[in-house]
Amino acid sequence: MHMPASPELPSATDLARSSNRHFPGESSAYREARTALLAEEIELRRQIEYVAALRRKLPPGGVVPEDYVFQGAHGPASLSSLFGRHDTLVTYNWMFGPQRERSCPMCTSLLSAFDGEMPDILQRVAFAVIARSPVTKMLAFAKERGWRHLPLYSSQGTNFNQLYAFEDPDANEDMPAFNVFHREGNVIRHFWGDEMNMQTADPGQDPRGAPDLMPIWNILDHTPAGRPKDWYPSLDYPAAA
C-alpha cells in the first residue's frame, strides 16, 4: 500500500524546485536530474513516515507465552525485568549460537554501530541483544570488540529464539531477528517483529527490511557504486600498507 496523496502536503516536485542548494561546477543536466531525484527522496521520506504510522496503529499483538529467564552479565534476568523503567523493549537476536566459534560478521557490524548509539536509545526504550551462546562467551567477544553499552543476554535453555527468531530447534543454525515488545501493567505483548526474509526479497537483492537498519548499507546506497553484490563486512581487515 502506497501513501495516499495528501492535500495538506505541498507537491514534492515544488519542494524540490525550491531548494537553493547548488554545488560547484554542476551542469544544468546534473541539476535537472538532481532536482527530480530530490522530489523522489521527499516522497520516500513521506512513505517511511506513513509506514511508521501504520506500524504504530497495529492491533494488539500476541501475549508473550512466558516470562522468559535469560542469563545476563549479572545473573538471571526475566524478560519483564529487561523493560526496566520503560514500557517498550526492543530485542535483537544475535547470530552467535553455541555452534559458532566467532560471531556473524554482519551482526558484528550492526551491533558495533548500535553500541555507540545505545546510550541514546536507552533514553527512550529498553534494548536487549540475545543469543543462544553462554553469556560468558558473548561478554568475551564484546570485550574483544570494545563494546561498552550493549545489554547482552543468553537465551540458552529457552524457546525464545524458536518462537521469535524462527530458528529450527533441530538444526544447527541461528537467525537474526528484531522484535519489539510492549508492556501494559503485568501483560507483555509482542508489538512488531521483522518478517522480511528470502521469501519476501526482490530478485537480485539480499533480504533486508525497510527501512534498512544497517548503517553501512545506507551510507553505501548514497555512493556511485551502491551496495556491492560480492562484499560483506568482515570481522578483521588487513592492515593498510
Side-chain angles (χ1 to χ4, degrees), residues 148-160:
R148 298 186 299 149
H149 306 296
L150 293 174
L152 304 178
Y153 296 93
S154 171
S155 60
Q156 200 170 37
T158 78
N159 67 348
F160 181 86

Side-chain angles (χ1 to χ4, degrees), residues 2 37 39 66 92 97 99 103 115 122 125 140-141 145 152 163 194 217 232 234:
H2 291 288
L37 175 61
E66 64 178 282
Y92 178 70
Q99 80 281 7
S103 166
D115 182 66
L122 294 177
V125 297
F141 187 84
R145 305 305 293 192
L152 304 178
L163 295 183
D194 67 300
W217 299 132
Y232 266 33
S234 175

Side-chain angles (χ1 to χ4, degrees), residues 70-88:
F70 306 110
Q71 296 297 318
H74 304 292
S78 64
L79 178 70
S80 58
S81 72
L82 300 188
F83 283 79
R85 60 187 174 89
H86 298 292
D87 61 7
T88 300

Side-chain angles (χ1 to χ4, degrees), residues 82-119:
L82 300 188
F83 283 79
R85 60 187 174 89
H86 298 292
D87 61 7
T88 300
L89 168 68
V90 180
T91 65
Y92 178 70
N93 279 78
W94 178 13
M95 294 176 67
F96 193 25
Q99 80 281 7
R100 290 180 182 263
E101 291 186 12
R102 305 284 284 160
S103 166
C104 161
M106 189 75 79
C107 289
T108 301
S109 176
L110 176 65
L111 292 175
S112 294
F114 282 178
D115 182 66
E117 294 278 2
M118 197 53 53

Side-chain angles (χ1 to χ4, degrees), residues 40-51:
E40 295 296 333
E41 291 171 339
I42 291 169
E43 293 286 10
L44 175 60
R45 181 187 66 203
R46 290 174 175 177
Q47 181 70 14
I48 290 172
E49 289 289 327
Y50 175 64
V51 171

Side-chain angles (χ1 to χ4, degrees), residues 45-233:
R45 181 187 66 203
R46 290 174 175 177
Q47 181 70 14
I48 290 172
E49 289 289 327
Y50 175 64
V51 171
L54 290 179
R55 191 180 294 119
R56 292 192 295 269
K57 293 178 181 177
L58 284 169
V63 174
V64 176
E66 64 178 282
D67 195 7
Y68 293 98
V69 176
F70 306 110
Q71 296 297 318
H74 304 292
S78 64
L79 178 70
S80 58
S81 72
L82 300 188
F83 283 79
R85 60 187 174 89
H86 298 292
D87 61 7
T88 300
L89 168 68
V90 180
T91 65
Y92 178 70
N93 279 78
W94 178 13
M95 294 176 67
F96 193 25
Q99 80 281 7
R100 290 180 182 263
E101 291 186 12
R102 305 284 284 160
S103 166
C104 161
M106 189 75 79
C107 289
T108 301
S109 176
L110 176 65
L111 292 175
S112 294
F114 282 178
D115 182 66
E117 294 278 2
M118 197 53 53
D120 297 316
I121 292 171
L122 294 177
Q123 298 300 308
R124 302 295 302 167
V125 297
F127 198 99
V129 178
I130 296 171
R132 287 187 297 109
S133 280
V135 70
T136 51
K137 182 178 179 180
M138 299 166 66
L139 292 168
F141 187 84
K143 182 177 181 180
E144 172 191 326
R145 305 305 293 192
W147 296 344
R148 298 186 299 149
H149 306 296
L150 293 174
L152 304 178
Y153 296 93
S154 171
S155 60
Q156 200 170 37
T158 78
N159 67 348
F160 181 86
N161 288 49
Q162 180 183 351
L163 295 183
Y164 291 105
F166 304 100
E167 292 181 359
D168 182 348
D170 298 321
N172 197 26
E173 65 174 6
D174 45 16
M175 300 290 289
F178 270 102
N179 285 284
V180 180
F181 300 90
H182 188 69
R183 179 176 61 184
E184 292 185 1
N186 294 324
V187 178
I188 298 175
R189 291 182 179 273
H190 184 254
F191 170 75
W192 174 89
D194 67 300
E195 296 187 26
M196 291 193 180
N197 53 23
M198 292 300 296
Q199 286 70 43
T200 60
D202 288 323
Q205 288 188 351
D206 290 325
R208 59 180 186 264
D212 196 326
L213 295 176
M214 284 284 291
I216 187 173
W217 299 132
N218 283 297
I219 290 174
L220 293 179
D221 278 345
H222 289 77
T223 66
R227 298 181 183 220
K229 297 184 181 300
D230 58 351
W231 181 87
Y232 266 33

